[in-house]
Amino acid sequence: MALAFCGDEGNSTAYNVDHGVLNNGCFVDALNVVPHVFLLFITFPILFIGWGSQSSKVHIHHSTWLHFPGHNLRWILTFILLFVLVCEIAEGIVSDGVSESRHLHLYMPAGMAFLAAITSVVYYHNIETSNFPKLLIALLFYWTLAFITKTIKFVKFCDNGVGFSQLRFCLTGLLVVLYGMLLAVEINVIRVRRYVFFKTPKEVKPPEDLQDLGVRFLQPFVNLLSKGTYWWMNTFIKTAHKKPIDLKTIGKLPIAMRALTNYILLNEAFEAQKNKRSSSPQGSRSIWRALCCAFGRPLLLSSTFRILADLLGFAGPLCISGIVHNVVETQSNNQSFEGIKILGVFFISSQEFLSNAYVLAVLLFFALLLQRTFLQASYYVAIETGINLRGAIQTKIYNKIMQLSTSNMSMGEMTAGQICNLVAIDTNQLMWFFFLCPNLWAMPVQIIVGVLLLYYLLGISALIGAAVIIVLAPVQYFVATKLSQAQRSTLEYSNERLKKTNEMLRGIKLLKLYAWEHIFHSSVEETRQKEMTSLKSFALYTSISIFMNAAIPIAAVLITFVVHAHLTRKADFSPSVAFASLSLFHILVSPLFLLSSVVRSTVKALVSVQKLSEFLSSEEIGEEHDKSSELRSADNHTLKLSFCLSFVSILLTMIVGQVGCGKSSLLLAILGEMQKISGNISWSRINELEVLCSYRKVKRGAVAYASQKPWLLNATVEENITFESSFNKQRYKAVIDACSLQPDIDILPHGDQTQIGERGINLSGGQRQRISVARALYQQTNVVFLDDPFSALDIHLSDHLMQEGILKMLREDKRTIVLVTHKLQYLPHADWIIAMKDGNIQREGTLKDIQKSETELFEHWKTLMNRQDQELEKENPVLERTNLRRTMYSREALLKDDEEDEEDVTESDDDDNLSSVLHQRAKMPWRACGKYLSAAGILLLPLLLLSQLLKHTVMVAIDYCLALWTEHEFDHSQYSKIFSVLCCLGIVLCLVTSIAVEWTGLKVTKKLHSSLLNKIILAPMRFFETTPLGSILNRFSADCNTIDQHIPATLECLSRSTLLCVSALAVISYVTPMFLIALVPLAIMCYFIQKYFRVASRDLQQLDDSTQLPLLSHFSETVEGLTTIRAFRYEAKFRQKLLEYTDSNNIASLFLTAANRWLEVRMEYELHAGQMMQTSKNVGFSLVFALHQVSNYLNWMVRNLADMEIQLGAVKRINGLLKTEAENYEGLLSSSQIPQNWPDRGEIQIQNLSVRYDSNLKPVLKHVNAHISPGQKIGICGRTGSGKSSFSLAFFRMVDTFEGRIIIDGIDIAKLPLQTLRSRLSIILQDPILFSGTIRFNLDPEKKCTDSMLWEALEIAQLKHVVKALPGGLDAIVTEGGENFSQGQRQLFCLARAFVRKTSIFIMDEATASIDMATENILQKVVMTAFADRTVVTIAHRVHTILNSDLVIVMKRGVILEYDKPEVLLEQEDSVFASFVQADK
């Protein structure tokens, strides 16, 4: 066919200019090309030569980056312009189809305009990023010319009678308006920026954020196209594939998104609400109003986007109806349109234009692109608002904590746990509510429009189908509620199981030594069974929920179509109606699925706001109360301040008194931490303290305060001591020396740079106390408060601290010191003494004053002073440091957590290693996936796979049957039966697959937990010494929870979405073979998109989790150390820390959200591009699949793949532990060969014994020989590390005996089964371990003893009177770790436990370390008499305890140095034992 700009028909009116050139349609069209050619000609050299050469300079982080006025409006108008131009091109092509030759002028000018519009926006973007507005003059000329030429065309149309019935008239009018508006935008830029026609142009600086190259989250600053498509994320996603993402990679938050900015916004809204309702208290309603006021606008924007997206979603069913109808009509009638000829060219109407299948396909493509863009924009804005809201509320809560009255917490009105829950759970509930909030008003719109369209298509039968969905919605809500209850119940049992597992792991050494593994194993298994019962309920309701989600649309479609076919026999049941209805049902079901989630989220948000309201209205510090003469203290008694105190010229004041007399309360009152009722606390200008009845108020300065209970940060030792102050090396060293911390620091793996665990968990009580005191000493404040700093220190450390720290450092610096103490021997050093009793000051003055006036009190003090001076040290610092070394060894391993598997690659600076790490990150853990599925067993796995395949085959068959049914419109009965059978089969298979997945999950989780517990409890002791407890516990907690609850759901979703996508692509390819051409490039692109996304998503998910931990830790630390922080006046510094932690967590969350949107937008755009290929007789069949299966589920497939990858890490880590080799519990001797009462005499022969902790370690005992006769009392002593404890462990085969043997009563212990050996011996360890339960359970968990035997053991252990005084006696409750008993009492219970066993061999491993001397002396006598006929081996902590032994063994470096009777060794002058005894005196 001939091709010409104006066509080449004979006598063509296109070339006729008799009525003037402007009345010739072709000339007017040619005139319209001029502006577009002008723009392309002008901008080409600037774009491709100017900016092309300096593209490296014009970077996304360019410091000149900014938006010109009307930026967003320009982009919106340009997008509308492009769409109208596409319509104009399509209209021209369709119009041209009427004529015999090709008229290029009908669509070529529109094509040129399309190119010019794209060029204009690219050109504008480059000018904007380089901040060079003068070049915008080219666009000003372009918009002017385009507006004029298009106006001429529009006027000529009007003159020649072209009206609204012709589509081209409407499009031209629209273009005139658009070009006019773009011209107005350009003029507005000149008006504001004054870059031309004005003498002084206006200089505008780019946003402050972009001056800082640390800001890498660019969503608020990029142009509208990049915002909608997340184009700016491309660089980030590519970088993530090259190197792991960390906090440095994601940079800082933009100012507008920072927690401080949002907090100010929220606080202003709160204040506004408070001023409005000053009379009424601040309730939850005013909080809701404040939240809406502060964050309502972005939420409204998100809701608008969501409603627009939902409305555009209905373009799918309508276009399907039109396309299918048009394809069927065209194939049967071969329809063509007759256009109207005006101005020498053809015009078509809007109806004719929209009846073209290709036009509808293009419109569907654009509608879906726009719908997905709006939907993702709605999600993003809602989540961003939620994240900003969470940051603001967390900051608000933190500021409230800083002003919180500590008495509220100590009186039980509010706990640290409640506050942490408010931060960790309730703020997240509000965030998710804001994310789901747009659904609240979008869902009704979607349901109403969907039902109306269904009614329009199907009539009354549509309402029946819709009613099925709506009626089943409450059932879904009921199931969701039950699911939530089952989850709560599971969580309770899970917590109980973890508590028991934690106790079991902490006391594993004791369990092995006493052969009690099976008891605790059974206890954990019993709780696990309860948890599994709850998990079964959870799995059942989950499977019902999954089943309903899949079955409801099938049931609704079945009922609707069968009713429609049989009740309304004359009704239209063409393919266009059927497939449009099917598509509408898919749309209608989604809001009803969301309903239960939205309702649950709303209820949770209401509860959270109520909690927040109660918290924010709680009492603050410094609030005045009703006048009375009392001051309320922390523990709810009152402190009467009927006196005046002054510390102005006193350097060292000591406060003494009995426990509970109000000493600490007085300090807290002075610091302003108590509820003051009357009197004043005032501070002089030089920061010295005065407590006066009436005095001029001066704001208190910082006070260095060391609380009674040491409070430490989860930071390094150095950071804990310097405490945000500047580092002074000389002062730091002096403080370390004064607190005797250097030996402790030397043991730590990284010295003073070692991280102290949360609450100082890896330090002993004495070390925590000394670090806390060191912090107070280091500060340069004028006032120092020390609340009982010697309580956890032995006598030597106390003396050193008093002399070097308090008297030398503080006193010589002329600082005011207030010291609360029980150590009365230090009273002579005091300048002033305050003696307290029952909340009153009993006496105050110097020691001489008290000696004169209160003789009786002074004599009482003198007696106590002498007693304290004679006291020997309570705890051995060497022992303390040994324990620390063991703890820190585990701590080091903890830092190397968590990916301990053979597949993991350690990262180094080496490029090869880095590439292998990157390769590892990009790989799916298929091996772990295989192990997970293989754990399901040979029956469940095939059922799972087969049911999924069958279900999706039936799903395809249902839609295919519908296609055949609609082709044979009048054969209803046969097809309706087949359709009904297939639908019912589909519903049954939905149930089978959902149950199969959940049952697989249950079986796997049961098997893995059982295997893990068995492996761990039978593992050798060496495993527990080298593996951090936290790491093992994480396997039982986080990893088991992932396998229990998350993997089955992810696996179901992944398999469903994958099979849906595969089946849909197969159907589309079968129906439209041309689609296969597009499928290959689409598949390649999808592969690379998911590959890059998975790596970035996993890193960001882990970063989101890891940044949340320091934030929550900071909250709990602040709550616990509130008094200290306020005393030091460090509120501002801690607030700043919180803002940093919050921003770090929020930036990770925002990047994760942006990455998810990046993936979904790309997947959607690709798939909708692929849909353009579909045109065939069964086009409706394939379009329904493309619209509702591929597009919806491909995104889920990729995201579930990323989730599954993270979750399978749990399986991999557990499998790593399952490779642990168990101890060899089997023996060479059978039970019949071992005498029932062995060992009955207690004779021990040690022959050439050498032991080591591991085969690759050096021996700890070397060639030891000894013979212990029956009933002998043996004492073993030696310095730390000499092998004493290893000697005792060798009896229980807890260490590797690689040479020699131990023979007890004639039997070599190596031949005995471990259970038998350990159950026939008794040992008391140096660390007292009690388990939660009753006293009876702790003494006799095997339930073998009578009550009288237990009371006898308690009497021997000096505990009978203590237990008798407790409610319940032997059945009195012991809390976790025995915290309701003192350290000494716990040690005595452990002694009683050993006495209960009545074995003939009894080993005491430094068992009296925590007991005072008087009790120890009694015990020594009891042991000697009660165990006169038993063999007792005592490993000495204090050497004088073994002076009465029959034999003494002195050890050094694993060998026996001395071995004789104690009196013989004492007589030898050069004896090591004699030197030990001398040192202990």
Side-chain angles (χ1 to χ4, degrees), residues 55-294:
S55 59
S56 59
K57 293 177 192 172
V58 186
H59 192 253
I60 195 82
H61 283 310
H62 205 288
S63 59
T64 56
W65 210 100
L66 83 167
H67 287 169
F68 290 153
H71 168 90
N72 286 342
L73 181 61
R74 182 192 296 266
W75 276 93
I76 291 165
L77 291 171
T78 307
F79 287 141
I80 297 169
L81 176 67
L82 289 169
F83 176 71
V84 174
L85 289 169
V86 167
C87 290
E88 194 177 24
I89 293 165
E91 190 273 345
I93 292 167
V94 174
S95 300
D96 196 32
V98 179
S99 58
E100 293 173 14
S101 72
R102 291 287 157 262
H103 292 71
L104 287 179
H105 71 97
L106 291 177
Y107 47 86
M108 187 183 147
M112 293 293 286
F114 187 82
L115 280 175
I118 291 171
T119 306
S120 75
V121 82
V122 172
Y123 179 72
Y124 166 74
H125 172 69
N126 280 283
I127 290 168
E128 211 176 34
T129 52
S130 59
N131 196 9
F132 200 69
K134 287 185 180 179
L135 290 173
L136 280 177
I137 198 77
L139 285 180
L140 180 71
F141 282 118
Y142 170 64
W143 300 129
T144 308
L145 289 170
F147 177 68
I148 291 166
T149 53
K150 199 56 77 175
T151 306
I152 291 168
K153 185 176 179 179
F154 185 72
V155 168
K156 287 300 159 191
F157 279 175
C158 292
D159 290 348
N160 287 277
V162 181
F164 285 104
S165 57
Q166 277 75 43
L167 180 64
R168 201 176 309 157
F169 177 83
C170 301
L171 292 174
T172 307
L174 269 173
L175 288 169
V176 170
V177 173
L178 287 168
Y179 282 129
M181 288 177 80
L182 283 162
L183 177 60
V185 168
E186 211 62 72
I187 292 165
N188 185 52
V189 176
I190 296 171
R191 185 185 67 80
V192 176
R193 289 297 304 269
R194 301 164 173 256
Y195 65 87
V196 286
F197 313 129
F198 290 93
K199 286 182 181 178
T200 53
K202 187 180 179 183
E203 291 297 323
V204 178
K205 286 187 177 180
E208 192 183 326
D209 303 78
L210 291 173
Q211 303 297 313
D212 182 358
L213 297 185
V215 174
R216 294 191 178 90
F217 190 79
L218 301 170
Q219 182 74 1
F221 311 109
V222 291
N223 59 54
L224 214 58
L225 180 66
S226 190
K227 265 183 187 157
T229 59
Y230 305 90
W231 192 262
W232 64 272
M233 281 285 288
N234 289 354
T235 315
F236 177 80
I237 299 275
K238 278 190 276 183
T239 309
H241 203 260
K242 291 175 187 170
K243 62 176 183 179
I245 300 170
D246 53 19
L247 277 173
K248 194 178 176 184
T249 314
I250 59 177
K252 291 187 277 190
L253 266 176
I255 292 166
M257 291 179 175
R258 287 178 192 168
L260 181 62
T261 313
N262 288 300
Y263 165 70
I264 292 166
L265 195 68
L266 182 65
N267 211 40
E268 284 171 358
F270 265 100
E271 290 305 316
Q273 286 299 317
K274 207 183 277 184
N275 294 337
K276 273 185 195 174
R277 290 172 170 72
S278 54
S279 56
S280 62
Q282 190 176 18
S284 54
R285 193 175 292 178
S286 64
I287 291 178
W288 278 115
R289 286 199 184 98
L291 292 175
C292 291
C293 181

Side-chain angles (χ1 to χ4, degrees), residues 800-817:
H800 186 77
L801 176 59
M802 188 70 198
Q803 292 298 329
E804 298 298 317
I806 296 169
L807 298 177
K808 195 174 175 184
M809 280 190 77
L810 298 179
R811 213 177 195 183
E812 288 179 9
D813 283 355
K814 305 285 184 195
R815 289 158 80 179
T816 302
I817 312 150

Side-chain angles (χ1 to χ4, degrees), residues 1465-1480:
L1465 292 173
L1466 286 171
E1467 286 170 7
Q1468 297 171 10
E1469 288 182 12
D1470 57 345
S1471 162
V1472 177
F1473 180 67
S1475 66
F1476 282 166
V1477 173
Q1478 193 63 37
D1480 196 38

Side-chain angles (χ1 to χ4, degrees), residues 645 647 653-657 666 832-836 841-845 850 861:
L645 294 175
F647 303 111
T653 302
M654 287 193 192
I655 304 174
V656 293
L666 179 59
W832 196 258
I833 298 165
I834 298 171
M836 296 196 70
I841 289 184
Q842 185 185 5
R843 190 75 181 86
E844 62 172 315
I850 293 168
W861 283 356

Side-chain angles (χ1 to χ4, degrees), residues 919-1032:
H919 174 67
Q920 201 65 40
R921 285 167 74 240
K923 251 173 72 178
M924 268 292 287
W926 295 116
R927 192 179 295 183
C929 188
K931 282 173 182 170
Y932 179 85
L933 291 172
S934 62
I938 53 169
L939 282 174
L940 265 178
L941 191 58
L943 174 68
L944 179 70
L945 296 170
L946 198 65
S947 63
Q948 288 278 16
L949 287 168
L950 265 174
K951 183 183 106 172
H952 290 94
T953 308
V954 170
M955 292 297 175
V956 172
I958 288 168
D959 287 347
Y960 185 66
C961 178
L962 186 63
L964 292 174
W965 186 2
T966 53
E967 272 182 45
H968 306 84
E969 225 176 294
F970 302 105
D971 189 8
H972 286 318
S973 60
Q974 184 189 348
Y975 280 108
S976 66
K977 284 173 189 172
I978 298 167
F979 186 71
S980 302
V981 169
L982 284 171
C983 284
C984 292
L985 187 61
I987 289 168
V988 170
L989 283 168
C990 284
L991 185 61
V992 172
T993 50
S994 60
I995 290 171
V997 168
E998 290 301 322
W999 225 250
T1000 303
L1002 278 175
K1003 189 165 181 189
V1004 172
T1005 191
K1006 189 176 181 181
K1007 187 175 177 182
L1008 281 178
H1009 183 273
S1010 181
S1011 305
L1012 180 64
L1013 187 61
N1014 288 333
K1015 273 287 180 188
I1016 293 298
I1017 206 149
L1018 299 178
M1021 201 59 218
R1022 179 72 185 156
F1023 167 77
F1024 298 99
E1025 287 167 353
T1026 55
T1027 312
L1029 176 68
S1031 175
I1032 304 169

Side-chain angles (χ1 to χ4, degrees), residues 689-742:
L689 175 64
E690 294 186 354
V691 180
L692 299 172
C693 294
S694 59
Y695 189 75
R696 182 170 49 86
K697 287 188 178 180
V698 177
K699 195 179 176 184
R700 172 174 73 76
V703 174
Y705 172 63
S707 58
Q708 192 171 9
K709 184 185 175 185
W711 172 71
L712 299 183
L713 293 168
N714 192 359
T716 64
V717 176
E718 185 192 293
E719 285 166 345
N720 265 286
I721 293 170
T722 56
F723 199 53
E724 307 286 330
S725 299
S726 55
F727 185 75
N728 180 328
K729 194 174 181 180
Q730 191 178 348
R731 183 168 186 79
Y732 181 73
K733 280 192 170 179
V735 168
I736 293 287
D737 178 56
C739 297
S740 312
L741 279 167
Q742 196 56 52

Side-chain angles (χ1 to χ4, degrees), residues 321-553:
S321 179
I323 291 168
V324 174
H325 180 75
N326 180 265
V327 168
V328 172
E329 289 294 313
T330 306
Q331 286 174 350
S332 55
N333 302 327
N334 200 12
Q335 278 188 336
S336 60
F337 303 113
E338 290 296 328
I340 301 165
K341 205 168 187 181
I342 306 170
L343 290 171
V345 289
F346 289 98
F347 286 80
I348 59 165
S349 67
S350 304
Q351 192 179 349
E352 288 169 335
F353 179 71
L354 289 172
S355 62
N356 186 293
Y358 293 101
V359 168
L360 284 173
V362 173
L363 285 175
L364 176 62
F365 171 69
F366 278 111
L368 291 174
L369 278 194
L370 205 55
Q371 186 241 351
R372 291 295 162 177
T373 306
F374 278 141
L375 189 64
Q376 296 307 325
S378 169
Y379 288 158
Y380 171 78
V381 173
I383 294 175
E384 186 200 278
T385 308
I387 290 168
N388 289 341
L389 167 99
R390 181 181 66 180
I393 292 177
Q394 283 172 346
T395 313
K396 179 88 180 159
I397 291 169
Y398 195 80
N399 281 339
K400 179 69 181 180
I401 289 170
M402 281 299 184
Q403 296 162 352
L404 210 58
S405 171
T406 42
S407 59
N408 276 1
M409 298 178 71
S410 53
M411 287 160 71
E413 289 174 26
M414 193 173 298
T415 64
Q418 285 173 329
I419 294 171
C420 289
N421 276 346
L422 200 63
V423 175
I425 297 167
D426 294 306
T427 54
N428 276 314
Q429 299 284 19
L430 280 170
M431 180 185 81
W432 283 110
F433 170 72
F434 266 63
F435 169 47
L436 291 170
C437 202
N439 291 296
L440 283 173
W441 29 86
M443 282 193 307
V445 172
Q446 207 173 3
I447 291 166
I448 291 162
V449 174
V451 170
L452 286 173
L453 284 172
L454 271 172
Y455 182 75
Y456 169 73
L457 287 168
L458 295 171
I460 197 75
S461 54
L463 298 179
I464 297 166
V468 170
I469 297 174
I470 292 162
V471 165
L472 287 172
V475 180
Q476 279 181 291
Y477 178 70
F478 171 76
V479 170
T481 310
K482 285 288 181 187
L483 191 63
S484 182
Q485 287 171 3
Q487 198 166 16
R488 261 200 306 275
S489 168
T490 306
L491 187 65
E492 284 169 15
Y493 287 126
S494 178
N495 287 341
E496 191 185 332
R497 172 178 61 82
L498 283 175
K499 184 183 166 188
K500 286 186 176 179
T501 309
N502 183 30
E503 278 199 319
M504 182 188 80
L505 292 173
R506 285 186 184 281
I508 193 73
K509 189 175 182 181
L510 181 83
L511 300 188
K512 286 185 171 293
L513 289 167
Y514 276 65
W516 285 347
E517 300 102 310
H518 63 285
I519 297 168
F520 280 78
H521 178 273
S522 305
S523 176
V524 173
E525 275 293 359
E526 187 188 330
T527 312
R528 178 64 175 171
Q529 281 307 315
K530 292 177 188 172
E531 189 185 359
M532 285 304 295
T533 308
S534 196
L535 271 172
K536 279 174 188 171
S537 301
F538 179 77
L540 177 67
Y541 288 118
T542 305
S543 56
I544 291 170
S545 181
I546 293 165
F547 158 67
M548 288 186 77
N549 286 0
I552 287 173

